[in-house]
Amino acid sequence: MSDLLKAEFYKMFRTKMLWGLLAFAAVMGNLMILDGNLPGTAREFLDAFVYNMPLLYFLLIIFGAMFIGTEFDNRTLQSYLTAGHKRGTVLAAKSISYFAACLVILFIPLFGDLLLGIAVWGNNGNGSAGTARTMFLALYMILAMGSLILLLGFAFQDTGRTLTVPLILYFLMIFFMNGDSAQIIARYLPMGQLRLLALHQMEGIYVQTLVSDSLWIAGGCIGAYGFFVHSDLK
């Protein structure tokens, strides 16, 4: 397991796409802030970035297609099995490294904005307890968003469909989040939960959100395991 993790993290950190997507997320997330009311405190600056994070979900989709789907196309995962590693171990290593990549792409820019906001505006309007809760929930929601890509990557086991189908679902989720039932749907979609978090509309649904995201993560991992274990890799 440790050798697989080292190999996966080595590949991940050596992938130029990861750092390109990180830079894109940081730049675009902050440029989109300029499209609305400019923040006046560090907390408003943080909330503005969180509000835009659902639109950056496609970055996780792109990386997932390349990091998971391409591994099947190149027969990298098959080579792990040929070397004697168990499928569950291979899946665990790939899942941990992919979730870590999701946090690099979206959470690091968020943390950077937190530090930048404090540097510019000080700690005014940036209560430590509320900020810590926002950061934790955002992190958990990012993992929940990534779990869908993990599931579909191991379900389709190629680059094309792992990219195309999640992108279709991404646009559908954006559509439903702007519909008449947006408030209800947002409670169960990690993308929508980020919007509620940014708008301070999470009061009373924190436990529900954690349970919902835990189900997303568990369902994604269990589903990916089921597809991988029962797949006929040639």
Side-chain angles (χ1 to χ4, degrees):
M1 178 67 172
S2 60
D3 291 337
L4 280 176
L5 278 174
K6 289 178 183 177
E8 288 300 315
F9 274 94
Y10 178 78
K11 284 190 296 183
M12 183 187 80
F13 287 121
R14 292 272 296 180
T15 303
K16 293 181 180 179
M17 177 182 289
L18 175 69
W19 306 111
L21 294 176
L22 165 61
F24 185 88
V27 172
M28 285 303 299
N30 285 296
L31 283 178
M32 287 188 288
I33 293 176
L34 302 177
D35 190 43
N37 296 325
L38 295 179
T41 65
R43 183 54 189 267
E44 290 177 1
F45 188 52
L46 180 69
D47 290 337
F49 190 90
V50 173
Y51 185 85
N52 292 323
M53 283 174 66
L55 298 177
L56 301 175
Y57 184 25
F58 73 95
L59 300 178
L60 304 187
I61 296 173
I62 292 172
F63 188 81
M66 299 299 108
F67 192 66
I68 300 174
T70 304
E71 294 280 85
F72 284 100
D73 292 338
N74 295 338
R75 300 188 59 80
T76 303
L77 298 185
Q78 290 90 324
S79 68
Y80 287 159
L81 301 179
T82 304
H85 296 287
K86 295 181 180 179
R87 295 197 182 203
T89 305
V90 173
L91 173 66
K94 178 59 72 174
S95 302
I96 292 171
S97 57
Y98 177 64
F99 282 136
C102 292
L103 296 179
V104 169
I105 294 170
L106 289 185
F107 189 76
I108 287 182
L110 176 65
F111 187 73
D113 270 24
L114 170 64
L115 298 180
L116 179 60
I118 294 175
V120 173
W121 288 284
N123 214 34
N124 179 35
N126 196 54
S128 57
T131 300
R133 182 172 57 194
T134 295
M135 297 296 288
F136 170 75
L137 289 172
L139 183 150
Y140 209 56
M141 291 167 188
I142 292 170
L143 296 179
M145 290 195 298
S147 65
L148 177 61
I149 317 304
L150 178 72
L151 170 63
L152 296 178
F154 278 89
F156 295 129
Q157 300 182 4
D158 64 41
T159 306
R161 288 180 295 174
T162 304
L163 178 64
T164 305
V165 175
L167 281 176
I168 293 173
L169 294 176
Y170 163 76
F171 287 114
L172 286 175
M173 286 187 281
I174 292 291
F175 173 78
F176 287 124
M177 282 169 52
N178 290 282
D180 296 333
S181 303
Q183 285 289 333
I184 298 175
I185 294 174
R187 294 186 177 190
Y188 302 99
L189 291 178
M191 289 173 62
Q193 293 166 357
L194 283 168
R195 285 284 171 87
L196 296 178
L197 182 63
L199 296 172
H200 301 275
Q201 296 177 359
M202 294 285 294
E203 202 64 41
I205 60 170
Y206 289 112
V207 175
Q208 174 187 319
T209 299
L210 290 174
V211 171
S212 173
D213 289 346
S214 296
L215 291 175
W216 274 98
I217 296 170
C221 293
I222 293 171
Y225 178 79
F227 282 115
F228 192 42
V229 167
H230 295 99
S231 61
D232 183 19
L233 299 177
K234 297 180 180 180

